[in-house]
Amino acid sequence: MPDETFATATHKPLLATVMGERQPRPPMWIMRQAGRYLPEYLDVREKAGSFLDLCYTPELASEVTLQPLKRFDLDAAILFSDILVIPDALGQPVRFEKGTGPILEPIGADDISDLSPEKVLDKLSPVFETIDRVKSALDPEKTMIGFCGAPWTVATYMIGGRGSTDQAAARQFAYEHPEAFSALMDVLVEASARYLVAQFKAGADVVQIFESWALNLDEDAFTAQVIEPNARIVARVRQEIPDAPIIGFPRGAAGMVARYAKATGVTALGLDHSMPLTFADSALVPSMPVQGNLDPLRLVAGGEQMISRAGAIIDGFAGRPHIFNLGHGIVPQTPIAHVAALVEFVKSGHWR
Ligand code: CP3
């Protein structure tokens, strides 16, 4: 945690924006900014062995966290780790296969009581060391972002055993086994809240809760599976760190986004690229900071269409605190020159 309070940390433009102070130029970072589009990442990844070994080796994870800031004038470093270290630390092993993504042995209704939230912080101690190392190397004007996956998003992998486009296994499980599902949410809320508090204590300035699979849920399921667990995490973290700056990113939540913002108490709201720019002014209080929301594929394609949409986003959010970002994570085939062009444009202040 910084020595000063979050609210007075105005020498960090990105943190100040999350705390509600609009900047003359929007500060920016890029979701999944450390990763496979960078050749220097692929080199370290090769050296590390498995992906989780990389996450659990502070020397390498801190190096990878800082890589994108060496190339681009970004305003924040995001901890290099993964949302699935939580199930791994709870005792449901995770492995990552090339081309397939994460694989877990799917959890059943009877397995929930075997999960051990009390072991999570010990198992994740290398992550806190990574934050500490990054923090000591980071320019004091840059913001250190920590993160976790939101309980629903993490549960979709724990129940389905892998990624899916419709999260059918988890949706069905939640309807068929409401008690087991709610016990799983309790475990994930507790583990995630402790994990975020420990990240703040290790030096994170801001944290983001990735609710990457907030789409596809009906109103009641969204309230129970997304809003309530996110709200509980925010409240639990703030019991220990009262003004903790928290960005909520409910990807795909569409018509439920405004309710999410109000009911969870997040400090700032990440918007995916399907959210219209007029949404913020029509549905959010003027002081609510927003983050986003360029389609990552515009960054792959590059050129005039990318610049013109980035300009429209900056104009569209000009009435409130705004952090420039993509609407979802950067993809591996993104040309580095396009990232450089985007960062230069956002930083230039010449948006028209
Ligand atoms: O943003 C960053 O640069 C920090 C690191 C970070 C990673 N994953 C590293 C990673 C962060 C913030 C995440 C979050 C994450 N992980 C999310 C939420 C964000 C989103 O994109 O929706 C999700 C759903 C996951 C789960 C996950 N991890 C998947 C589905 C995959 C495989 C496919 C993919 O998107 O890469 C991963 C693996 C992963 N996590 C990689 C990296 C750099 C690639 C692994 C490799 O190098 O082989």
Side-chain angles (χ1 to χ4, degrees):
M1 225 185 317
D3 300 332
E4 67 278 83
T5 68
F6 296 111
T8 57
T10 45
H11 59 281
K12 293 180 190 285
L14 197 142
L15 171 60
T17 309
V18 175
M19 296 305 291
E21 271 175 45
R22 187 178 158 75
Q23 308 295 307
R25 293 173 204 189
M28 75 180 290
W29 65 286
I30 298 174
M31 284 190 278
R32 313 288 296 266
Q33 66 189 23
R36 289 165 298 176
Y37 72 106
L38 291 174
E40 59 271 31
Y41 167 78
L42 295 172
D43 288 347
V44 177
R45 171 83 174 78
E46 196 68 34
K47 251 198 326 204
S50 81
F51 173 72
L52 280 182
D53 286 339
L54 175 51
C55 295
Y56 295 145
T57 309
E59 193 191 347
L60 298 180
S62 55
E63 180 184 343
V64 166
T65 301
L66 290 163
Q67 282 176 343
L69 284 89
K70 296 210 166 106
R71 273 191 191 261
F72 313 114
D73 184 17
L74 297 164
D75 296 288
I78 177 158
L79 163 71
F80 188 85
S81 180
D82 197 83
I83 63 166
L84 299 178
V85 297
I86 287 285
D88 196 58
L90 283 167
Q92 184 185 15
V94 179
R95 66 201 155 82
F96 287 82
E97 279 183 9
K98 277 216 171 75
T100 323
I103 311 273
L104 302 80
E105 183 64 40
I107 198 169
D110 299 335
D111 304 324
I112 314 284
S113 54
D114 297 339
L115 300 170
S116 6
E118 60 289 344
K119 290 194 195 136
V120 163
L121 293 190
D122 278 350
K123 176 92 202 253
L124 296 180
S125 59
V127 172
F128 313 128
E129 195 189 323
T130 300
I131 294 177
D132 188 49
R133 280 176 180 247
V134 172
K135 219 31 207 295
S136 39
L138 198 62
D139 177 334
E141 297 199 340
K142 310 275 179 183
T143 297
M144 174 79 212
I145 303 175
F147 72 95
C148 72
W152 166 249
T153 291
V154 173
T156 65
Y157 291 94
M158 294 177 78
I159 295 165
R162 56 180 64 217
S164 72
T165 50
D166 61 4
Q167 303 79 53
R171 282 158 60 208
Q172 192 175 328
F173 182 103
Y175 298 136
E176 284 177 352
H177 307 284
E179 280 179 20
F181 185 80
S182 135
L184 176 58
M185 289 285 112
D186 289 347
V187 169
L188 289 171
V189 164
E190 191 52 36
S192 310
R194 286 193 209 175
Y195 182 43
L196 292 182
V197 167
Q199 291 185 34
F200 276 119
K201 289 187 173 158
D205 300 307
V206 175
V207 298
Q208 174 157 315
I209 304 177
F210 282 92
E211 187 72 277
S212 299
W213 296 113
L215 59 172
N216 256 328
L217 294 167
D218 70 34
E219 197 175 353
D220 292 350
F222 189 90
T223 302
Q225 281 139 226
V226 173
I227 290 185
E228 284 175 10
N230 278 261
R232 285 166 65 198
I233 291 178
V234 171
R236 278 279 287 103
V237 171
R238 297 235 174 97
Q239 269 172 14
E240 294 193 47
I241 301 170
D243 50 357
I246 302 176
I247 305 169
F249 176 53
R251 184 174 78 94
M256 297 297 286
V257 173
R259 227 186 286 179
Y260 171 95
K262 220 179 186 169
T264 57
V266 293
T267 324
L269 186 63
L271 298 175
D272 67 64
H273 43 276
S274 73
M275 295 306 286
L277 304 177
T278 50
F279 161 81
D281 288 342
S282 66
L284 303 175
V285 291
S287 55
M288 178 103 200
V290 293
Q291 171 176 284
N293 69 344
L294 185 75
D295 182 348
L297 294 185
R298 286 194 182 270
L299 184 55
V300 176
E304 183 43 37
Q305 58 76 34
M306 170 181 86
I307 294 301
S308 120
R309 182 66 190 167
I313 290 169
I314 293 170
D315 278 352
F317 295 139
R320 65 179 61 242
H322 174 218
I323 299 147
F324 193 93
N325 205 320
L326 301 181
H328 193 204
I330 188 169
V331 294
Q333 68 271 30
T334 307
I336 286 172
H338 296 181
V339 183
L342 178 66
V343 176
E344 199 188 312
F345 173 70
V346 174
K347 295 274 148 165
S348 71
H350 304 300
W351 302 309
R352 280 174 188 276

